[in-house]
Amino acid sequence: MTKANETTTDAAGSATDPERIIVFDTTMRDGEQSPGASMNLSEKLRIAEVLEGMGVDVIEAGFPIASEGDFEAVNEIAKVVKDSGVCGLARAGKADIERAGEAVKPARRPRIHTFISTSPLHMKYKLQMEPDDVYQAVIDSVTHARNFTDDVEWSCEDGSRTEHDFMCRCVEAAIDAGAATINIPDTVGYALPDEFAAIIAMLRNRVPNMDKAVISVHCHNDLGLAVANSLAAVKAGARQIECTINGLGERAGNAAMEEIVMALRTRADLMPYAPRIVTENITKASRLVSTVTGFTVQPNKAIVGANAFAHEAGIHQDGVLKHAGTYEIMTPESVGLTESKLVLGKHSGRHAFKEKLKEMGYDIGDNAVEDAFKRFKDLADLKKDVFDEDIIALVDETVVRTNDRIKLASLEVLCGTVHTPPKADLSLDIDGEVTSAQSTGDGPIDAVFKAIKALTGEDPHLQLYQVHAVTEGTEAQAEVTVRLEEKGKTVNGQSADTDTVVASAKAYINALNKLLVKQKKTAPAAISA
Ligand code: KIV
Ligand code: ZN
């Protein structure tokens, strides 16, 4: 695993260097609240490993009281992550805080993040509480959380629409009660950069004990300003930024970590607040989160989109060839994008494969290497040129799909121009038992999906079916995303294969596995963003 630069942090996980930005990742908490973005335990563990490897300071791993699955994920991540702080979210109530405290207990640097709404609108309609009662809840919740850890973060939900006097009162009380981090969320993505920066400056001017805590910001992207607002807040004195990989998150998402980190790196001349993120790991993290959630990254997305470093126009290409700086403000290598390289052929052995994984920054354990090697051999048989992108897709699938209940055992499909309906002959391994079914359909994909439904007895609504190529050329692996919905639950499945029909079957099965394990959360209504 790539190690982050050495930077000292105190017991509470805050940077001791007052000019350093603390990166707080909430991909697995706020990001997972995005409809369909559910992640299972092994997927979360893999994401945590990648986040830790890239130097994230604090990983918000979930909302422990929301479900058994969330509790388990936070708890297991707390057991294995050593270099990053591990955080669990809690509303202001005792039960939430105790559950979060229990979940993060095994962590080397456990953090509880407790929050309550403070805007007039939220207090009146959502909480139906008087401001004085909210004020008391701030004190009680932070005081209670301190029984479990010294590292307590307090957030005023809907902060950007909160009255300043009341915000100052609550922030001062939270710090007095023991909060080491004060987070100001722009919960509904409503703020403008100047306005948001002014809130941070106002807190620094008016709250007498503000210097005893780190100011954090948490911006949503409803107006496309999450990153701009976060950076404006940093200029005004915020020193922790909450963000997600690929900007994943409810509605329009959260501030994108890759954009924040690369803006700070690229414009260090104007913003000298270096985070300790290993930016070369950004592409790997982005692809993993996309594979796990099934949320493909739009091609023109800043930093991680497929076109982010592509120069199509002749005049640009000419300029870049003469001097990269003419149109390139950062290098593709700085975000971990290397030239599509031919890695290994079908005659490559285990040793060469292991070396390649090491070179690409993967440290996935012997069993996973063995599984990945088998998949690599199968792929190399089908595909002459195996590229880095193919290896990434293959490893991500190997590592995150280990606990799936349903697996594809075999698939044969008959289709063509003859006037017989396409037919699928499919076997599934369900909880270790292999069963088979045949089905016809309007097309080969329809026949395959019908056979899966027949074998599993599940009949969810197919909301989305999408295919794109992992690399270029007709030999490329197809990456398929399938979104299924059942009884109000939405999940995305994703898979890659040289055969589009096989990739479709595996993506459908991946989504079904998620649907089967997705537990109903008990407290989502409490979080509006
Ligand atoms: O957007 C928000 O206000 C949140 C809080 C729980 C911090 O996600
Ligand atoms: Zn949020």
Side-chain angles (χ1 to χ4, degrees):
M1 189 189 304
T2 318
K3 280 274 169 253
N5 305 331
E6 279 295 291
T7 317
T8 47
T9 51
D10 63 22
S14 313
T16 47
D17 172 1
E19 289 307 294
R20 187 167 81 69
I21 298 300
I22 300 166
V23 175
F24 177 108
D25 178 272
T26 183
T27 306
M28 291 187 279
R29 198 280 295 170
D30 219 336
E32 203 201 18
Q33 279 172 230
S34 192
S38 60
M39 309 167 197
N40 64 30
L41 180 61
S42 55
E43 292 168 340
K44 284 192 172 183
L45 283 165
R46 175 74 189 134
I47 291 176
E49 190 185 1
V50 169
L51 294 176
E52 182 184 28
M54 71 196 286
V56 165
D57 297 283
V58 185
I59 299 172
E60 187 166 54
F63 183 22
I65 202 159
S67 69
E68 283 303 319
D70 261 42
F71 177 89
E72 193 188 8
V74 177
N75 195 240
E76 292 302 318
I77 289 169
K79 287 178 194 160
V80 296
V81 165
K82 298 287 174 256
D83 296 337
S84 314
V86 178
C87 177
L89 184 71
R91 290 168 300 185
K94 276 193 161 175
D96 276 50
I97 292 167
E98 282 159 20
R99 199 78 179 131
E102 180 69 22
V104 297
K105 202 167 160 187
R108 190 181 272 179
R109 289 199 281 123
R111 176 179 289 197
I112 296 176
H113 175 191
T114 181
F115 72 99
I116 191 163
S117 290
T118 49
S119 68
L121 202 66
H122 276 221
M123 289 192 289
K124 182 165 179 199
Y125 294 104
K126 190 181 106 165
L127 297 176
Q128 296 175 337
M129 281 169 81
E130 291 301 322
D132 279 347
D133 297 328
V134 169
Y135 175 76
Q136 191 55 47
V138 173
I139 299 170
D140 294 345
S141 56
V142 174
T143 307
H144 195 47
R146 279 297 302 264
N147 293 324
F148 301 90
T149 173
D150 290 346
D151 189 358
V152 173
E153 171 174 333
W154 177 76
S155 286
C156 44
E157 193 186 357
D158 206 16
S160 54
R161 295 191 296 173
T162 294
E163 284 171 355
H164 291 188
D165 287 354
F166 188 58
M167 187 192 280
C168 288
R169 252 184 96 201
C170 290
V171 167
E172 185 180 352
I175 298 171
D176 273 345
T181 304
I182 297 295
N183 183 42
I184 311 299
D186 181 24
T187 302
V188 289
Y190 177 72
L192 299 181
D194 288 352
E195 176 194 24
F196 197 57
I199 295 176
I200 306 305
M202 182 277 297
L203 289 172
R204 293 182 74 204
N205 286 332
R206 290 185 48 190
V207 177
N209 55 359
M210 198 65 253
D211 61 324
K212 307 263 179 314
V214 172
I215 302 181
S216 165
V217 286
H218 174 112
C219 298
H220 280 267
N221 206 28
D222 299 66
L223 293 174
L225 292 170
V227 171
N229 286 339
S230 305
L231 295 176
V234 164
K235 284 196 139 190
R239 286 296 175 268
Q240 174 176 287
I241 301 184
E242 304 202 351
C243 48
T244 59
I245 300 287
N246 296 341
L248 192 68
E250 237 179 344
R251 306 186 311 275
N254 288 60
M257 188 206 291
E258 61 279 4
E259 294 178 24
I260 285 168
V261 167
M262 288 313 290
L264 290 173
R265 177 172 164 160
T266 307
R267 298 311 310 271
D269 55 331
L270 292 181
M271 294 182 292
Y273 319 104
R276 61 166 201 157
I277 297 296
V278 182
T279 61
E280 288 75 11
N281 286 9
I282 283 176
T283 299
K284 181 163 85 175
S286 165
R287 286 183 181 154
L288 175 66
V289 169
S290 167
T291 301
V292 162
T293 59
F295 277 54
T296 43
V297 174
Q298 77 193 60
N300 58 328
K301 162 86 177 62
I303 317 295
V304 291
N307 292 348
F309 291 89
H311 299 280
E312 192 70 25
I315 188 168
H316 287 200
Q317 285 177 349
D318 183 52
V320 169
L321 286 175
K322 286 181 178 137
H323 188 289
T326 49
Y327 287 97
E328 238 175 42
I329 57 164
M330 19 178 196
T331 64
E333 291 77 19
S334 64
V335 301
L337 211 58
T338 46
E339 283 266 298
S340 262
K341 272 190 258 160
L342 181 63
V343 280
L344 306 160
K346 70 187 217 179
H347 302 297
S348 308
R350 201 175 265 97
H351 180 70
F353 182 70
K354 277 187 184 170
E355 283 303 306
K356 184 68 203 174
L357 289 185
K358 222 191 268 170
E359 182 196 311
M360 292 174 73
Y362 286 110
D363 177 7
I364 57 174
D366 289 349
N367 289 347
V369 170
E370 237 358 84
D371 282 358
F373 180 66
K374 273 191 215 123
R375 284 177 187 235
F376 161 73
K377 282 299 220 187
D378 291 345
L379 185 63
D381 272 342
L382 293 166
K383 193 172 186 288
K384 199 166 97 254
D385 300 332
V386 179
F387 298 99
D388 281 1
E389 288 88 336
D390 294 314
I391 300 280
I392 291 168
L394 185 147
V395 172
D396 284 348
E397 278 206 34
T398 308
V399 175
V400 301
R401 306 276 154 86
T402 42
N403 296 326
D404 282 358
R405 285 183 57 195
I406 309 170
K407 294 185 178 106
L408 179 67
S410 68
L411 173 63
E412 259 179 56
V413 174
L414 203 69
C415 62
T417 52
V418 281
H419 295 293
T420 49
K423 199 174 97 187
D425 197 335
L426 175 115
S427 299
L428 293 181
D429 177 331
I430 306 176
D431 294 328
E433 217 168 281
V434 178
T435 44
S436 307
Q438 284 190 342
S439 193
T440 54
D442 289 340
I445 309 287
D446 187 44
V448 169
F449 289 0
K450 280 187 175 144
I452 297 173
K453 287 183 199 175
L455 284 175
T456 58
E458 301 287 330
D459 190 13
H461 172 57
L462 177 68
Q463 281 190 337
L464 173 101
Y465 172 78
Q466 192 174 285
V467 186
H468 87 268
V470 173
T471 55
E472 286 170 12
T474 52
E475 263 198 340
Q477 288 202 84
E479 190 167 66
V480 176
T481 304
V482 163
R483 183 175 304 150
L484 301 179
E485 187 272 332
E486 194 175 51
K487 295 186 201 126
K489 294 184 214 167
T490 313
V491 292
N492 286 331
Q494 200 176 62
S495 194
D497 199 280
T498 47
D499 184 321
T500 311
V501 184
V502 174
S504 304
K506 290 198 295 187
Y508 194 96
I509 292 167
N510 176 233
L512 265 189
N513 276 304
K514 290 185 174 181
L515 214 46
L516 294 182
V517 296
K518 194 171 179 207
Q519 287 146 309
K520 190 145 178 49
K521 303 210 176 202
T522 52
I527 300 187
S528 58

